[in-house]
Amino acid sequence: SLGGSWPGSPAAVAGSGGYDWVFEAGPDGNLCVDDLLSGGTSWGGWLSLGNPGSPAIAVPAAAQDSSGVIPVFFRTANGALWQEASTSGGWSGFTSLGGTWPFDPAVNVGSGGYVKLYEVGATGALSTKQLAPGGTWPSSWTTIGGALSGDPVAVQDQAGTTRIYIRDAAAGALREYYS
């Protein structure tokens, strides 16, 4: 057991260097992380990364980019979307990604090392931001469209196509978007 009493579901990443990382929005509103060295049996212990001034809520999303950085994305109680990222010396501090979001994000690292972030807004439209390796986040989101509801999931298939799956708001059918 990793211990604790958690209000939501975790995100996990198998990172380079042989570590598994687990992220959770804690009951105190702080983003928390725990790590396990590959082949190990003892978790490092939960570390609170804090919050950006509003409590972290819901389910975070995490991935590892092509340089080994692990960005973690999470919503706060006021609906804002934030990023915290690993660095060689610890954690970067919180970065606002703009917008107010009713659902949790999805992330994957696509071809060329781009970090691709997906969110569904209050209008039900799927939106995305992409971060180039070594770059900075664009200031605005790109709307993909749709009348959707719920948390998206994203995966890159063997051909290098990113596929996003999300529920249609009217019929409840599963929809697929790809790029």
Side-chain angles (χ1 to χ4, degrees):
S1 169
L2 277 70
S5 177
W6 304 97
S9 297
V13 174
S16 61
Y19 281 91
D20 291 339
W21 300 87
V22 177
F23 301 92
E24 180 68 90
D28 59 359
N30 290 329
L31 181 66
C32 299
V33 60
D34 201 349
D35 62 339
L36 174 70
L37 183 59
S38 180
T41 57
S42 296
W43 286 87
W46 287 104
L47 171 66
S48 174
L49 301 176
N51 68 57
S54 180
I57 62 168
V59 180
Q64 183 176 31
D65 74 14
S66 57
S67 68
V69 171
I70 299 174
V72 183
F73 306 93
F74 63 99
R75 285 185 310 121
T76 55
N78 62 7
L81 187 64
W82 293 84
Q83 172 189 304
E84 173 73 282
S86 65
T87 67
S88 59
W91 296 93
S92 65
F94 300 109
T95 301
S96 173
L97 296 172
T100 301
W101 306 95
F103 301 105
D104 296 326
V107 64
N108 81 314
V109 177
S111 299
Y114 281 78
V115 176
K116 299 178 179 184
L117 183 61
Y118 301 93
E119 241 321 354
V120 174
T123 65
L126 180 65
S127 296
T128 186
K129 274 191 177 192
Q130 294 187 23
L131 176 65
T136 59
W137 286 105
S139 60
S140 61
W141 288 79
T142 300
T143 301
I144 296 171
L148 309 166
S149 181
D151 304 333
V153 295
V155 65
Q156 181 174 307
D157 67 20
Q158 290 181 347
T161 301
T162 297
R163 298 183 181 277
I164 304 97
Y165 300 96
I166 182 80
R167 191 175 65 241
D168 178 276
L174 189 62
R175 299 287 179 203
E176 176 187 45
Y177 294 83
Y178 54 91
S179 62

